[in-house]
Amino acid sequence: MVDLFDIASEQRAKQSVPLAARMRPRIIDEFVGQEQIIGKGRLLRRAIEADKLSSLLFFGPPGSGKTTLAEVIANTTKSKFIRLSAVTSGIADVRAVINQAKEDLKLYNKRTVLFIDEIHRFNKGQQDALLPAVENGTIILIGATTENPYFEVNSALISRSRIFSLNRLTDENILELLKRALNDQRGLKEFDVVVDQQALRHLATMSGGDARSAYNALELAVLTTEPDDDGKIIIDLAIAEESIQKPHIFYDKKGDWHFDVISAFIKSMRGSDPDAVLHWLARMIEAGEKPEFIARRIVICAAEDVGLADPQALVVAMTAADAVHFIGWPEAQLILAEAAVYVATAPKSNSTYLGINQAREDVRQSPFSGVPAHLRENGYKGAVALGCGIGYKYPHNFPGHYTPQQYLPDEFAEKVYYNPTDIGKESEIKKRLQYLKEKSYQQD
């Protein structure tokens, strides 16, 4: 006998499960995106299809499919599949799974696949507890993380696992997933939804490659829109814009995305692309990056990459660094933008950067006989008797306030560390150094 109350209860339970969870692929052919790791013939796909898995680490941004891949493996493997979240689980849970896995392997010859979501949240002791079981094959570990595993996962676990990097989904990937949700019984088919193509494209674009964010926005739009007279739920661009008002910006101020974005920012300044500089600066501002951190990087770039081609760049950068302390957000964005664009558009030279690096290398690697006698301090008792300062020529006593003499230690006398370019202010410096060199030859 059919129990109508049970049916109603099941329907309510289904509706309470988020669309993103309901639409998770059940088999690998339903998976969308990440062709670089699970496309036809790829290693991971072959391993999943053959049920020949070794320990894996999935690394990628939110909504890119890490947990979904684990679900596909759960539905495919003949091994026992256990799920843990590093947020809610501790070392006792890990040990309980390992002990049960030992029993299952011993009594039933059945292996255990242990999936740990957000594995980077496990501390060193918790990660270490996994090592023996992973090493001897008691469990097959699958870890998912949004953090670079080389930073956040023990090197011993990394050496025993294969790392797969997942990319953010493309707009086309997201569009495919949204269309599937609209036409799938597990999704929104029962609601008789009609979505304008502009609205669908807007949801895909504004989700920032995060499938979960796109699903949530679509579900919100459908559930909060009243059907028309024909019973259809019409989702237009205005409704879509309300459902996902701000693009999802994935940026972890303590993780590798933080370093990737600042790296792109610096390389754009070095590469003289002010448009890219403003883009990466805007991304850091929107993510709430500290203005002082950004300012320090502008100062470094001004010294390292602009150098003496435009000495004013360092002055502008340092002034900006001081000003952001005084101003703070949101107005600090104007100061940082001005300084970053100045550095980006300034002529570039890394001559001083190369020079100091070479000089330091020589200091580390070469013998040193000491400071030449004529350059030593002679103001203390007995200095003159020791020959200190004798023979030193005071430049201001000579025409042009210059006279040639040896300033480098004897073993480095022929070294040239600073080679100015013909760019910007450095071209003037180069001419002056050439003039002084010629003058030295004439006096010799």
Side-chain angles (χ1 to χ4, degrees):
M1 180 177 178
V2 176
D3 191 327
L4 296 179
F5 291 102
D6 286 344
I7 294 175
S9 177
E10 288 177 7
Q11 289 177 337
R12 285 194 299 272
K14 175 189 173 185
Q15 291 174 355
S16 68
V17 176
L19 178 63
R22 301 201 306 271
M23 289 304 300
R24 276 216 172 102
R26 296 154 294 188
I27 58 174
I28 198 166
D29 286 333
E30 292 179 350
F31 195 92
V32 173
Q34 312 305 340
E35 290 294 321
Q36 77 281 3
I37 61 172
I38 61 162
K40 293 288 185 182
R42 294 290 184 176
L43 174 64
L44 181 57
R45 188 187 187 103
R46 298 199 313 270
I48 294 173
E49 291 175 336
D51 197 11
K52 298 290 185 184
L53 292 170
S54 58
S55 289
L56 309 170
L57 290 172
F58 294 146
F59 161 51
S64 57
K66 301 182 297 297
T67 304
T68 298
L69 266 179
E71 293 283 346
V72 168
I73 291 170
N75 294 334
T76 304
T77 184
K78 292 176 181 160
S79 301
K80 187 176 180 179
F81 194 91
I82 305 292
R83 299 171 181 81
L84 291 180
S85 170
V87 176
T88 57
S89 303
I91 199 165
D93 301 294
V94 171
R95 286 173 176 161
V97 171
I98 292 173
N99 289 336
Q100 185 59 54
K102 289 177 181 177
E103 291 295 311
D104 290 338
L105 191 61
K106 179 180 178 181
L107 298 177
Y108 310 111
N109 197 30
K110 193 176 186 68
R111 300 186 71 184
T112 298
V113 176
L114 173 59
F115 171 63
I116 301 179
D117 198 13
E118 299 193 73
I119 193 172
H120 61 276
R121 293 183 181 270
F122 268 176
N123 60 35
K124 185 179 186 300
Q126 291 168 318
Q127 292 184 29
D128 284 345
L130 294 162
L131 280 174
V134 171
E135 190 163 21
N136 63 29
T138 301
I139 63 170
I140 297 169
L141 174 66
I142 300 177
T145 175
T146 56
E147 303 290 337
N148 190 324
Y150 291 103
F151 294 159
E152 303 295 338
V153 179
N154 289 2
S155 58
L157 269 183
I158 288 178
S159 69
R160 291 162 176 80
S161 307
R162 188 173 185 92
I163 297 175
F164 289 96
S165 180
L166 283 71
N167 301 324
R168 300 193 73 75
L169 297 177
T170 66
D171 288 357
E172 297 306 317
N173 293 152
I174 300 292
L175 278 172
E176 183 177 346
L177 292 172
L178 293 178
K179 290 175 181 177
R180 183 181 295 177
L182 291 168
N183 295 287
D184 195 302
Q185 290 294 346
R186 295 178 298 153
L188 301 168
K189 187 173 183 179
E190 64 180 282
F191 290 97
D192 196 8
V193 184
V194 177
V195 184
D196 180 270
Q197 287 303 306
Q198 274 189 304
L200 209 60
R201 174 68 67 174
H202 180 77
L203 293 177
T205 301
M206 296 295 278
S207 68
D210 185 337
R212 189 181 299 106
S213 175
Y215 277 136
N216 290 343
L218 178 62
E219 187 172 34
L220 178 65
V222 171
L223 296 180
T224 58
T225 303
E226 290 291 331
D228 64 9
D229 294 339
D230 297 324
K232 294 183 180 297
I233 295 176
I234 310 297
I235 306 297
D236 59 17
L237 180 58
I239 294 173
E241 288 174 340
E242 285 185 324
S243 301
I244 187 167
Q245 294 182 350
K246 189 175 181 180
H248 178 74
I249 299 175
F250 180 62
Y251 183 93
D252 183 350
K253 288 184 282 183
K254 294 182 179 178
D256 60 292
W257 281 80
H258 157 85
F259 294 108
D260 286 345
V261 172
I262 196 65
S263 174
F265 177 65
I266 292 168
K267 288 171 181 172
S268 299
M269 282 192 291
R270 181 182 298 139
S272 302
D273 189 333
D275 300 312
V277 163
L278 291 174
H279 172 87
W280 295 117
L281 176 60
R283 190 164 292 277
M284 289 187 285
I285 291 170
E286 288 298 314
E289 184 61 84
K290 291 182 179 180
E292 295 86 357
F293 172 80
I294 301 171
R296 284 196 297 271
R297 268 50 195 179
I298 298 174
V299 171
I300 293 168
C301 190
E304 178 181 343
D305 297 302
V306 176
L308 292 175
D310 183 358
Q312 188 65 21
L314 185 56
V315 176
V316 171
M318 275 305 301
T319 303
D322 290 337
V324 296
H325 281 290
F326 179 65
I327 300 297
W329 291 134
E331 290 84 357
Q333 66 178 321
L334 302 174
I335 298 163
L336 292 172
E338 180 178 335
V341 168
Y342 189 101
V343 172
T345 55
K348 302 296 188 295
S349 171
N350 66 345
S351 298
T352 52
Y353 171 80
L354 295 175
I356 187 60
N357 282 344
Q358 184 58 58
R360 290 186 65 191
E361 182 66 19
D362 283 350
V363 167
R364 286 192 295 263
Q365 301 295 332
S366 303
F368 175 50
S369 60
V371 177
H374 68 287
L375 298 179
R376 295 176 191 169
E377 171 60 41
N378 66 353
Y380 60 90
K381 186 177 180 180
V384 176
L386 294 173
C388 298
I390 296 176
Y392 172 66
K393 300 175 184 177
Y394 187 57
H396 297 295
N397 291 338
F398 294 86
H401 298 258
Y402 171 78
T403 186
Q405 62 186 319
Q406 181 181 324
Y407 290 100
L408 280 165
D410 291 339
E411 57 270 40
F412 297 96
E414 301 303 319
K415 286 283 187 178
V416 176
Y417 293 116
Y418 178 55
N419 291 288
T421 67
D422 294 314
I423 298 171
K425 179 70 175 178
E426 248 189 351
S427 64
E428 298 177 26
I429 297 172
K430 185 176 182 177
K431 288 177 183 177
R432 172 158 177 78
L433 289 178
Q434 288 174 338
Y435 165 76
L436 294 177
K437 191 174 183 179
E438 291 170 1
K439 191 173 181 180
S440 299
Y441 287 144
Q442 290 170 3
Q443 293 188 22
D444 288 345

